[in-house]
Amino acid sequence: MNFLIKILYLISKLPLKILYIFSDIIFFLNYYVVGYRKKVITENLRNSFPEKSDKEIAAIKKKFYLNFSDYLAETIKSFTMSETETKVRMQHINQELFHEAKEEGKNIILLAGHVFNWEWMNTLATIVPQTNCHPVYRKVNSTFWENQMKKVRSKFGNNALEANEVVLNIFRSKNNGDSIYLFVADQTPHFSHVSYGLEFLNQRTPAFIGYDKLATRMDLIFIYCEMKKVKRGFYQINYHRVMPDGEKFAKNEVVRKFHKLLENTLHKRPDNYLWSHRKWKYQDSIKDFDSEKI
């Protein structure tokens, strides 16, 4: 395992233009030879965009494989990528929202989707007025990859927290505008934890709702992270504050609004999402289905 780590870190130090050659090879193998999760990807796309023709679905699928291969190369690069290079390649729009939160004395919950490349968001910690930035990660079966992703998400002054401990950490911390918590909020709950669901991309979708408990119990600021791939190796995040309809968020309101914003993002750039993820496999386990349109 130590040998594998050394090899990956050596590869990570290569320039991105070299790593993109590996990405092109991965794309060719995944798309033309192996057909990595081809059935899952095709089914997800067809169910999500029933209005699109087979030709349009095929075009989105091919672009997804290209973006996914770039994501893999970029994730390896993130092991050793410098703060300066990451800042050049990741542009943050609407930074004033973070200063407003500081002035209001409220901590921030960032809500992102599995839109490429969410792993490059870490340098946000170096440009915001908040002192404590906590990317949230989820335990995976591989101890090696869990450790590596925790290291990556703890770079640049971040302090990564495991998903099972983050809510308690937020409740115990001072709500004073000095902390940011980043959730990749379209996670799929394990079937044993599926309760709430809603219609997202034309499908019954089990929704992770841990952050909803925070919205209804604490006066926090919720911000949606709209990721855009400008061109290969360059991304832009546009931050949007999510506001409640009333004085405070009603139950599941922030969940619905996050999924609506993410759905809008995916309609604009459908090829830049993790379609290989089996997001809808537990839809039959939903106990509380929200029939209200998002």
Side-chain angles (χ1 to χ4, degrees):
M1 188 62 70
N2 288 334
F3 177 74
L4 176 59
I5 293 173
K6 289 179 180 178
I7 292 296
L8 285 175
Y9 271 80
L10 285 173
I11 294 173
S12 177
K13 291 180 179 180
L14 294 171
L16 259 175
K17 63 181 179 181
I18 302 298
L19 291 179
Y20 283 138
I21 295 175
F22 289 107
S23 172
D24 291 339
I25 295 171
I26 293 169
F27 161 72
F28 179 84
L29 293 174
N30 275 341
Y31 185 73
Y32 290 105
V33 181
V34 179
Y36 172 72
R37 292 195 174 181
K38 183 178 180 181
K39 183 177 179 180
V40 172
I41 295 164
T42 302
E43 182 178 336
N44 284 344
L45 286 171
R46 282 180 175 161
N47 291 340
S48 298
F49 305 108
E51 75 283 1
K52 294 189 181 297
S53 66
D54 288 346
K55 185 178 180 179
E56 289 173 311
I57 293 296
I60 295 170
K61 182 168 62 176
K62 186 173 184 178
K63 288 181 180 178
F64 159 76
Y65 275 105
L66 287 164
N67 289 330
F68 179 66
S69 300
D70 280 356
Y71 160 75
L72 296 176
E74 291 165 358
T75 299
I76 297 297
K77 182 62 182 177
S78 66
F79 292 177
T80 59
M81 197 169 178
S82 71
E83 178 182 325
T84 300
E85 184 175 5
T86 309
K87 282 183 175 179
V88 169
R89 294 183 175 280
M90 181 67 75
Q91 183 182 16
H92 301 270
I93 309 298
N94 288 345
Q95 294 181 35
E96 63 270 16
L97 293 180
F98 301 96
H99 294 274
E100 291 174 6
K102 184 76 172 180
E103 292 173 4
E104 292 178 32
K106 299 176 184 178
N107 291 341
I108 297 172
I109 305 296
L110 292 180
L111 302 174
H114 281 92
V115 179
F116 305 130
N117 189 337
W118 68 91
E119 295 294 352
W120 278 10
M121 294 181 65
N122 285 4
T123 49
L124 178 66
T126 68
I127 60 176
V128 294
Q130 285 74 16
T131 303
N132 309 304
C133 292
H134 302 287
V136 179
Y137 70 95
R138 194 174 184 179
K139 283 187 178 295
V140 295
N141 293 331
S142 169
T143 303
F144 165 72
W145 281 111
E146 181 179 333
N147 289 338
Q148 293 310 304
M149 297 320 300
K150 184 177 181 180
K151 286 180 182 178
V152 168
R153 295 184 185 184
S154 293
K155 291 176 65 178
F156 311 133
N158 289 283
N159 178 21
L161 296 173
E162 204 279 321
N164 289 329
E165 62 184 7
V166 65
V167 173
L168 185 59
N169 181 286
I170 294 172
F171 280 130
R172 288 179 174 177
S173 299
K174 289 183 179 180
N175 185 18
N176 58 3
D178 203 32
S179 296
I180 298 174
Y181 300 85
L182 170 60
F183 288 78
V184 181
D186 60 339
Q187 297 279 4
T188 301
H190 187 269
F191 75 90
S192 61
H193 297 135
V194 171
S195 176
Y196 174 79
L198 75 175
E199 185 175 304
F200 170 66
L201 290 172
N202 299 296
Q203 298 169 82
R204 289 171 58 93
T205 306
F208 168 70
I209 58 173
Y211 57 94
D212 185 70
K213 299 175 183 178
L214 304 169
T216 55
R217 298 181 191 178
M218 298 180 70
D219 191 13
L220 301 167
I221 289 177
F222 286 78
I223 295 176
Y224 172 65
C225 310
E226 183 178 18
M227 186 78 70
K228 177 183 178 181
K229 186 172 186 176
V230 179
K231 61 180 180 178
R232 198 176 209 184
F234 292 89
Y235 296 86
Q236 186 181 87
I237 309 175
N238 202 339
Y239 296 100
H240 304 276
R241 185 163 176 174
V242 184
M243 302 295 292
D245 291 334
E247 291 187 7
K248 63 178 183 178
F249 284 105
K251 183 180 179 182
N252 297 323
E253 180 184 358
V254 71
V255 181
R256 289 196 301 272
K257 290 190 171 183
F258 161 71
H259 280 84
K260 179 61 176 178
L261 288 164
L262 179 58
E263 187 173 88
N264 290 341
T265 297
L266 299 184
H267 276 286
K268 287 185 283 187
R269 293 176 286 273
D271 55 281
N272 212 38
Y273 188 61
L274 191 62
W275 295 109
S276 56
H277 181 48
R278 292 187 174 94
K279 183 171 180 60
W280 290 278
K281 62 180 178 179
Y282 297 138
Q283 58 182 250
D284 291 338
S285 299
I286 296 173
K287 302 176 183 66
D288 177 20
F289 180 70
D290 191 339
S291 58
E292 182 180 344
K293 291 289 184 180
I294 62 171

